[in-house]
């Protein structure tokens, strides 16, 4: 399969259609592009392969005109630091700031590469019900991540071209998301086939396996149901229960990993190695406090022989800013010896079964029928996450689940006004609902790593208060808490101004990082 997936490299940049706004027309004008009538079933696999890889925000030096710096700018320097998974000292976004070039890169690549590839796959797969159902699931995955970064975005008209393209409200998009996921489950459930043939050799997630894609779609539906649970509780309950009844991920064999190759590699591995990212004080506090075996899987102890902290796991507080001196030799990076040593062997986490267990556990606390008790689902989610990362000793897993310790004061905790760890609940299941909600939020936060897009969204939705405040902030309207959204691009205002101004009205607040999204009402 991997060899066939790589074949898309030869045609990936032939799948460029007119972009989202007039500004993208020049980018997409290529005399070598294929026309719509040249797209047939033989092109469905290659274009789907590109939509998968670009849809998770990764890029490759092997693709003409592309590079994995896209991931560094669009993910690592945004959701990765917003969620306090990693720290980037001195970077604007690490302190709730904005960098026009960084955010523009993610927007541009999404609408000029990922979306056109998706739309071309729809054309090439026309008439293939199972393929179209899988594409609907992937469409929802791609767009829900993107709208949950920005708010209203071009959706229904994305890819049609023209000098102005309207933005859709989040409410309208989520309504469509649920329709697509419900219909996809119905189609895949009714199919007598086991594999989507046109995707089999190009699908780096599931090799076209229909049952796996069906579970993925239902698990995504459950995720989105929780997302809207504060703004539309009744609809959230209906969608969540329907998703679980239809069948969601239940074991690590269901996990969605993007299987990397020498040409479609794991950008996280290299960006963390070479761009100056460090483990955060929050991760140090949680992992040390819980004596979490995943710490050694994910991070490296300080290696510099001249550091006072050599051999220790040390996290850098987020928001340290350029005014507070620090030395990189004193902080932990990712584990580049084993877990994140090689970008062509470490597959990319897309969606894990542990998250589904945590989502179900939270659903039980909301009074939803989730097919188990909150405690059992919570503990199974922990077990799945630990096993996912190679912790297989059952006695170690059992001891972790029964742990009674709480968060630890990080090495540089004295830099905070109040060094008291925000994580003040143990792993062992609590007797109060308030604590149980926080426990689920913490373990899901860990279970999602390093998929920071979802971690950032979940932190905003739950307001779980599990992270230290930033040391400094570049935006007083946000303060030292969590960034609420990414603001729109100056170039969009100049080339698609009427549509962006209408989008701000849909947003319901100023185009600022402090304005909450539609579903973020608490």
């Amino acid at each position: 399969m991997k060899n066939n997936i790589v074949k898309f490299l030869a045609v990936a940049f032939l799948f460029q259609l007119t972009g989202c706004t007039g500004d993208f027309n020049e980018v997409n004008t290529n005399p070598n592009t294929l026309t719509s009538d040249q797209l047939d079933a033989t092109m469905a696999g290659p274009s789907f392969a590109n939509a998968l890889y670009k849809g998770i925000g990764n890029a490759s030096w092997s693709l003409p005109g592309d590079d994995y710096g896209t991931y560094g700018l669009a993910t690592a320097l945004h959701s990765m630091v917003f969620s306090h998974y990693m720290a980037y000292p001195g970077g604007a976004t690490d302190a709730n700031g904005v960098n026009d070039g960084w955010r523009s890169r993610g927007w541009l690549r999404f609408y000029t590469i990922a979306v056109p590839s998706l739309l071309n796959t729809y054309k090439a797969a026309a008439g293939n019900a199972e393929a179209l159902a899988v594409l609907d699931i992937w469409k929802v995955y791609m767009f829900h991540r993107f709208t949950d970064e920005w708010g209203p975005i071009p959706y229904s008209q994305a890819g049609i071209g023209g000098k102005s393209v309207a933005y859709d409200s989040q409410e309208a998009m989520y309504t469509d998301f649920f329709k697509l996921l419900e219909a996809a489950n119905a189609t895949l459930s009714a199919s007598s086939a086991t594999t989507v043939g046109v995707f089999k050799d190009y699908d780096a997630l599931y090799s076209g396996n229909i049952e796996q894609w069906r579970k993925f779609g239902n698990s995504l539906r459950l995720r989105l149901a929780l997302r809207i649970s504060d703004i539309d509780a009744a609809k959230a309950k209906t969608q969540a229960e329907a998703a679980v009844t239809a069948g969601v991920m239940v074991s690590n064999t269901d996990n969605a990993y993007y299987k990397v190759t020498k040409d479609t590699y794991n950008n996280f591995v290299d960006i963390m190695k070479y761009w100056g990212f460090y483990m955060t004080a929050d991760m140090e506090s949680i992992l040390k406090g819980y004596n979490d075996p995943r710490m050694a899987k994910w991070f490296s102890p300080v290696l510099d022989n001249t550091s006072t902290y050599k051999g220790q796991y040390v996290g850098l507080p987020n928001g340290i800013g350029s005014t507070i001196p620090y030395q990189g030799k004193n902080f932990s990076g990712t584990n580049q010896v084993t877990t994140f040593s090689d970008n062509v062997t470490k597959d990319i986490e897309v969606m894990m079964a542990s998250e589904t267990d945590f989502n179900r556990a939270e659903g039980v606390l909301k009074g939803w029928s989730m097919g188990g008790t909150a405690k059992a689902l919570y503990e199974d989610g922990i077990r799945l996450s630990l096993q996912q990362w190679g912790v297989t000793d059952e006695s170690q897993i059992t001891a972790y689940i029964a742990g009674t310790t709480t968060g630890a004061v990080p090495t540089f905790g004295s830099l905070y006004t109040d060094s008291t760890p925000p994580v003040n609940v143990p792993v062992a299941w609590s007797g109060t609902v308030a604590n149980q909600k926080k426990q689920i939020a913490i373990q899901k936060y860990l279970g999602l790593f390093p998929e920071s897009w979802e971690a950032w969204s979940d932190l905003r939705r739950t307001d779980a208060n599990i992270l230290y405040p930033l040391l400094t902030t570049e935006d007083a309207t946000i303060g030292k808490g969590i960034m609420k959204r990414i603001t729109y691009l100056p170039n969009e205002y100049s080339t698609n101004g009427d549509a962006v101004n209408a989008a701000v009205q849909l947003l319901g607040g100023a185009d600022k990082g402090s304005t909450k999204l539609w579903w973020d009402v608490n």
Side-chain angles (χ1 to χ4, degrees):
M1 181 187 71
K2 286 189 175 183
N3 289 335
N4 286 316
I5 290 174
V6 174
K7 290 179 183 177
F8 88 83
L9 295 170
V11 294
F13 269 60
L14 298 179
F15 292 123
Q16 306 306 303
L17 294 181
T18 302
C20 171
T21 67
D23 178 60
F24 295 156
N25 287 342
E26 183 178 350
V27 174
N28 287 305
T29 300
N30 184 337
N32 298 314
T33 55
L34 293 174
T35 59
S36 295
D37 60 358
Q38 292 174 290
L39 289 163
D40 57 27
T42 64
M43 294 298 184
S47 56
F48 184 53
N50 203 33
L52 286 175
Y53 193 56
K54 297 304 179 182
I56 57 174
N58 276 242
S60 170
W61 287 111
S62 298
L63 287 172
D66 205 14
D67 68 84
Y68 63 61
T70 300
Y71 177 93
L73 298 178
T75 298
L77 287 166
H78 284 94
S79 58
M80 193 68 68
V81 294
F82 294 159
S83 62
H84 295 203
Y85 271 170
M86 302 297 293
Y88 190 76
T93 52
D94 193 59
N96 285 343
V98 172
N99 182 296
D100 288 342
W102 296 353
R103 59 183 170 154
S104 297
R105 181 71 159 271
W107 180 280
L108 182 70
R109 293 310 170 100
F110 183 76
Y111 281 112
T112 61
I113 299 179
V115 171
S117 294
L118 179 73
L119 297 180
N120 276 291
T121 313
Y122 273 109
K123 292 183 176 69
N128 187 325
E130 290 86 359
L132 294 175
V134 169
L135 285 175
D136 283 345
I137 293 169
W138 192 244
K139 176 182 179 179
V140 173
Y141 181 84
M142 283 175 49
F143 275 96
H144 98 273
R145 297 169 88 225
F146 213 69
T147 183
D148 288 345
E149 280 207 326
W150 303 85
I153 57 170
Y155 174 69
S156 59
Q157 298 185 49
I160 67 172
K163 297 206 175 284
S164 180
V165 178
Y167 287 49
D168 295 77
S169 71
Q170 282 203 293
E171 183 175 9
M173 281 184 274
Y174 267 76
T175 297
D176 195 51
F177 292 164
F178 287 121
K179 288 181 180 177
L180 292 175
L181 294 175
E182 183 176 0
N185 176 71
T187 297
L188 298 180
S189 296
S191 176
S192 60
T194 59
T195 305
V196 181
V198 294
F199 291 162
K200 182 177 184 297
D201 293 332
Y202 298 91
D203 176 6
L205 266 65
Y206 290 127
S207 300
N209 185 291
I210 285 177
E211 180 62 12
Q212 296 284 46
W213 270 107
R214 197 179 70 81
K215 290 181 181 180
F216 179 95
N218 289 326
S219 300
L220 180 57
R221 190 176 175 189
L222 174 61
R223 173 193 282 184
L224 300 187
L226 270 179
R227 189 84 91 245
I228 68 165
S229 59
D230 290 333
I231 190 71
D232 192 339
K235 184 174 185 177
K237 182 177 187 292
T238 298
Q239 290 294 334
E241 291 181 343
V244 171
T245 299
V248 293
M249 295 175 171
V250 295
S251 75
N252 283 330
T253 59
D254 296 325
N255 288 347
Y257 287 101
Y258 183 95
K259 299 171 186 65
V260 296
T261 72
K262 65 181 179 64
D263 294 299
T264 55
Y265 37 77
N266 189 328
N267 291 177
F268 174 81
V269 171
D270 285 352
I271 297 300
M272 294 304 113
K273 276 185 182 181
Y274 304 123
W275 281 34
F277 285 88
Y278 301 99
M279 179 176 77
T280 65
D282 292 281
M283 290 296 270
E284 179 194 348
S285 173
I286 300 170
L287 296 172
K288 274 187 177 177
Y290 284 166
N291 192 27
D292 196 311
R294 288 170 291 192
M295 174 178 272
K297 303 286 185 180
W298 296 339
F299 299 106
S300 168
V302 174
L303 300 175
D304 195 296
N305 289 324
T306 66
S307 174
T308 304
Y309 307 100
K310 186 178 186 303
Q312 301 177 38
Y313 290 92
V314 180
L316 180 69
N318 287 88
I320 197 164
S322 58
T323 60
I324 303 174
Y326 80 98
Q327 289 182 298
K329 69 177 184 178
N330 292 326
F331 298 98
S332 295
T334 51
N335 179 345
Q336 297 161 18
V337 176
T338 56
T339 310
F340 301 114
S341 63
D342 190 347
N343 67 358
V344 299
T345 59
K346 177 66 189 77
D347 292 336
I348 302 168
E349 291 78 12
V350 177
M351 181 182 284
M352 302 293 109
S354 60
E355 179 201 341
T356 300
D357 269 344
F358 296 130
N359 288 342
R360 291 169 67 192
E362 184 180 350
V364 173
L365 297 184
K366 291 180 178 294
W368 302 348
S369 178
M370 294 284 100
T373 67
K375 179 177 185 291
L377 291 165
Y378 165 78
E379 292 180 350
D380 192 55
I382 295 172
R383 180 174 288 103
L384 288 176
S385 182
L386 292 173
Q387 291 173 343
Q388 170 196 332
W389 291 100
V391 182
T392 57
D393 185 326
E394 188 58 36
S395 63
Q396 187 179 20
I397 294 172
T398 300
Y400 180 84
I401 291 173
T404 58
T405 56
T406 58
V409 176
T411 305
F412 285 87
S414 61
L415 292 177
Y416 296 109
T417 302
D418 181 359
S419 63
T420 304
V423 171
N424 56 1
V425 292
V427 177
W429 190 242
S430 173
T432 69
V433 172
N435 283 347
Q436 290 166 2
K437 288 180 179 179
K438 189 166 188 176
Q439 289 175 311
I440 293 169
I442 295 165
Q443 289 301 326
K444 189 185 347 181
Y445 176 77
L446 297 175
L448 287 168
F449 183 83
E451 211 298 271
S452 58
W453 292 56
E454 181 59 22
W456 178 37
S457 291
D458 207 57
L459 287 168
R460 287 175 286 163
R461 177 186 67 83
T462 62
D463 297 306
N465 189 29
I466 64 174
L467 303 178
Y468 281 101
L470 300 174
L471 292 184
T472 59
T473 181
E474 294 196 8
D475 189 332
T477 67
I478 308 171
K480 297 179 181 179
I482 296 173
M483 186 88 153
K484 300 303 182 184
R485 59 178 291 273
I486 299 176
T487 53
Y488 295 128
L489 310 181
N491 205 42
E492 275 288 283
Y493 277 103
S494 63
T495 64
N496 196 29
D498 290 344
V500 181
N501 288 324
V504 174
Q505 296 302 309
L506 294 174
L507 184 63
D511 184 14
K512 294 182 179 180
S514 57
T515 298
K516 292 183 176 183
L517 300 186
W518 164 72
W519 46 258
D520 186 9
V521 295
N522 291 333

